[in-house]
Amino acid sequence: MGQCGITSSKTVLVFLNLIFWGAAGILCYVGAYVFITYDDYDHFFEDVYTLIPAVVIIAVGALLFIIGLIGCCATIRESRCGLATFVIILLLVFVTEVVVVVLGYVYRAKVENEVDRSIQKVYKTYNGTNPDAASRAIDYVQRQLHCCGIHNYSDWENTDWFKETKNQSVPLSCCRETVSSCNGSLAHPSDLYAEGCEALVVKKLQEIMMHVIWAALAFAAIQLLGMLCACIVLCRRSRDPAYELLITGGTYA
């Protein structure tokens, strides 16, 4: 009966180690996704410390590859030292993921204030030329998020670019995709996206941070199960004489 329980724990542990390898790839992907998306919106969010959770989650993903290898070897070889090392590393990674979740919530709460402070500055520097980084960023966001201006398209009337062009129009990136004849003229507001970009940028960045938080929470739960199974194998190996004989190949006298 005891041996069956141990065998079951070992089977689950080996299976969890395989999951760790898959989890490592997923965590690295989530971290890379945050970096790539941040690069698209970096003009609207100046606090680079927001990337800390993404950096940590990539590091955790890389570490999970090593943890999976240690766990598999320790489980197959029945190494008490290896299993103990496995549990300790899992515990450290678990604590790290809890920190990632906390940081994720902290920076998620700061997103709205950061965007509100930065977006005004970015729109004021818009000059409508492609080589200009701020102009490219605004045009990209307006096309991707289907928005126009900070709160709505009328915000463009307060920009230096609008006053200099004197053509009573907004950038073509404000034009709805379904309107092929749109030239950005304010005389045809129905051709333009009605929603402002600030709220949508905030929503997008908060969604990205939630991906990090949920990924960290999900794999923290898996690690808890891994630690539990490793502890069961360790405890029963030290307490169950039949299990020791099973490993050594001995028999009762």
Side-chain angles (χ1 to χ4, degrees):
M1 185 77 173
Q3 292 174 11
C4 288
I6 293 167
T7 303
S8 298
S9 298
K10 285 171 59 183
T11 303
V12 171
L13 193 53
V14 170
F15 179 68
L16 284 173
N17 286 319
L18 296 176
I19 290 178
F20 287 154
W21 284 329
I26 294 172
L27 288 176
C28 289
Y29 171 80
V30 170
Y33 171 74
V34 172
F35 269 101
I36 292 168
T37 309
Y38 178 86
D39 189 53
D40 293 332
Y41 295 90
D42 61 348
H43 284 82
F44 305 95
F45 201 78
E46 296 177 348
D47 189 356
V48 294
Y49 294 108
T50 308
L51 290 175
I52 289 176
V55 172
V56 174
I57 210 168
I58 289 175
V60 168
L63 190 58
L64 278 177
F65 279 111
I66 302 171
I67 291 174
L69 183 62
I70 293 173
C72 277
C73 292
T75 304
I76 293 170
R77 296 181 60 188
E78 305 291 348
S79 169
R80 182 181 298 174
C81 179
L83 284 171
T85 303
F86 176 68
V87 171
I88 291 170
I89 295 175
L90 274 185
L91 182 60
L92 292 174
V93 173
F94 175 78
V95 171
T96 303
E97 288 182 337
V98 171
V99 171
V100 167
V101 171
V102 172
L103 286 175
Y105 272 107
V106 168
Y107 288 121
R108 186 175 182 273
K110 291 175 63 179
V111 164
E112 190 169 354
N113 289 334
E114 283 287 330
V115 172
D116 183 57
R117 189 173 63 209
S118 303
I119 200 168
Q120 305 274 354
K121 189 196 313 179
V122 177
Y123 269 82
K124 283 181 180 179
T125 60
Y126 184 86
N127 62 22
T129 59
N130 248 358
D132 180 64
S135 298
R136 286 201 313 272
I138 290 173
D139 286 333
Y140 173 83
V141 166
Q142 291 189 154
R143 288 193 181 99
Q144 290 295 311
L145 301 183
H146 298 171
C147 57
C148 184
I150 299 172
H151 303 106
N152 54 59
Y153 58 80
S154 65
D155 292 323
W156 280 105
E157 297 180 55
N158 301 318
T159 63
D160 295 335
W161 173 83
F162 183 89
K163 294 170 184 175
E164 288 169 6
T165 55
K166 299 178 181 179
N167 59 6
Q168 295 297 303
S169 66
V170 297
L172 294 178
S173 55
C174 281
C175 292
R176 295 180 183 273
E177 291 179 344
T178 54
V179 183
S180 57
S181 60
C182 177
N183 59 5
S185 174
L186 290 178
H188 304 285
S190 59
D191 294 350
L192 310 174
Y193 294 122
E195 195 167 358
C197 293
E198 182 178 357
L200 294 177
V201 169
V202 169
K203 182 181 177 183
K204 181 71 174 179
L205 291 172
Q206 287 181 336
E207 283 176 356
I208 292 166
M209 201 56 66
M210 282 306 299
H211 291 159
V212 174
I213 292 170
W214 283 115
L217 284 174
F219 295 118
I222 294 172
Q223 284 167 227
L224 276 176
L225 186 56
M227 284 189 286
L228 178 63
C229 290
C231 287
I232 290 172
V233 173
L234 274 172
C235 291
R236 290 193 175 177
R237 179 177 176 180
S238 59
R239 293 179 183 179
D240 192 343
Y243 183 62
E244 290 291 343
L245 291 170
L246 178 67
I247 302 305
T248 58
T251 57
Y252 286 111

